[in-house]
Amino acid sequence: MVRVALVTCADGPDVAEDRDLPVLVRALNEAGVEASAEVWDDAGVDWARFDLAVIRSTWDYSWRAAEFTAWAERCGALTRLANPADVVRWNTDKRYLADLAAAGAPVVETRYLAPGDAVELPDGHEFVVKPASGAGARFAARYTPDEHDTAVRHVRRLHDDGFTAMVQPYVRAIDSGGERALQFFGGTLLHASRKGPVLAPGTPYDQRKTAHPGLTDWTPTADELAVAQAALAAVPGAPELLYARVDLVDGDDGRPRVMELELVEPNLFLWLHPESLPVVVERITEAAGRRRPSAGAAPR
């Protein structure tokens, strides 16, 4: 019997509930896989006993990114890790959007302000400030040109905490068309969802947000599929990805743009798409049955 760890994080006031986790554990066990939920920073977990570790809801990683990526390297040296540690390291820093853009994938225009950089902000349109390592709209906020002073304080707070800040135009089409999440599993489209706008005007950056408001089923367009596939093709090294989520919004020209490429711990929304559960179970089982790396192998 193959053993699979579904990797999560410890409960906490700033951590959302993973509604899919117990359902997925149960479904895998019913399919003949010895599956369990394991906390990534639990020093008592023997990762080498598993044939596969699937990162699922490590939703505290964004404020512990260096610690988390170091764990991924260690875990990936002991067992097969999905997604691989080099993908985790690349994808935990949203400067990857610059890599996607350089490869020709359409992305939301983004500027990066590292600690020590001069804080220059747009003055002709609404804009968003958020950390380059972040999840669930944590420490993100939307500003008008009249709110520069508040936005500067936001950027300086991120710098004080050691984060690079991202500055993006506020994509106005989100207010009407929302944001679409295309989920891929085992290299093919699994399902898609649409959610409403997350950042309301005037909401402080340090206020907790609802990460997926008004989530509904969605059928992606041909343009959306093409953009998502272009983004996935631009991941450095063309790695094997067990799962991926591509978040898209419409630009001012009405064409889809990549807002985020989530290769670390995307919410799968299986509670909204229960028909996808058997597919996820099958593909995790297949991945777990592949030959695992030898003990002591170099981190991937």
Side-chain angles (χ1 to χ4, degrees):
M1 180 181 293
V2 296
R3 299 185 178 93
V4 172
L6 299 179
V7 189
T8 186
C9 62
D11 292 338
D14 295 322
V15 177
E17 176 190 6
D18 182 358
R19 297 169 60 179
D20 293 335
L21 188 61
V23 175
L24 188 51
V25 169
R26 182 169 61 251
L28 283 164
N29 278 288
E30 290 173 350
V33 175
E34 185 179 320
S36 58
E38 306 291 344
V39 174
W40 71 269
D41 59 349
D42 181 349
V45 177
D46 178 11
W47 300 105
R49 70 179 290 270
F50 296 102
D51 298 289
L52 175 69
V54 183
I55 302 174
R56 285 306 328 122
S57 47
T58 54
W59 292 336
D60 61 351
Y61 91 84
S62 64
W63 54 96
R64 305 167 61 190
E67 184 181 351
F68 180 70
T69 52
W71 164 82
E73 296 283 355
R74 293 193 303 272
C75 184
L78 296 171
T79 187
R80 183 179 299 279
L81 180 66
N83 283 323
D86 54 350
V87 172
V88 171
R89 183 171 295 280
W90 177 77
N91 195 232
T92 52
D93 187 332
K94 290 186 174 63
R95 282 177 286 193
Y96 67 73
L97 288 171
D99 295 337
L100 298 185
V107 303
V108 174
E109 179 185 348
T110 306
R111 289 193 300 114
Y112 300 93
L113 301 175
D117 288 348
V119 181
E120 298 179 359
L121 299 172
D123 56 13
H125 55 78
E126 278 191 287
F127 59 94
V128 171
V129 173
K130 56 188 175 183
S133 177
R138 180 177 180 269
F139 277 14
R142 168 182 174 182
Y143 297 102
T144 67
D146 294 334
E147 296 174 306
H148 265 220
D149 290 347
T150 305
V152 168
R153 290 194 294 271
H154 181 179
V155 173
R156 288 177 175 162
R157 166 67 187 278
L158 294 177
H159 287 174
D160 288 346
D161 288 348
F163 291 106
T164 291
M166 299 170 58
V167 181
Q168 298 174 317
Y170 182 73
V171 181
R172 295 172 294 177
I174 293 176
D175 292 335
S176 56
E179 183 176 333
R180 281 85 69 200
L182 277 61
Q183 303 270 7
F184 293 80
F185 220 94
T188 59
L189 181 70
L190 183 67
H191 55 242
S193 313
R194 181 173 66 176
K195 69 179 182 181
V198 175
L199 299 178
T203 303
Y205 69 88
D206 54 358
Q207 179 173 314
R208 187 171 179 176
K209 288 89 173 174
T210 300
H212 307 289
L215 197 69
T216 58
D217 188 19
W218 178 255
T219 300
T221 66
D223 277 351
E224 289 170 348
L225 283 170
V227 169
Q229 289 162 352
L232 293 173
V235 178
E240 181 181 351
L241 302 173
L242 179 60
Y243 54 84
R245 193 182 81 209
V246 187
D247 293 343
L248 303 174
V249 295
D250 289 334
D252 288 341
D253 61 358
R255 303 290 298 275
R257 302 277 190 278
V258 177
M259 173 69 78
E260 183 172 353
L261 176 59
E262 177 53 84
L263 308 179
V264 179
E265 32 65 271
N267 195 324
L268 297 178
F269 309 130
L270 293 175
W271 56 268
L272 180 64
H273 302 275
E275 73 283 356
S276 295
L277 179 61
V279 179
V280 172
V281 168
E282 178 182 2
R283 291 176 183 170
I284 288 176
T285 303
E286 290 173 352
R290 298 172 194 155
R291 187 172 62 86
R292 56 194 293 195
S294 302
R300 288 170 288 177

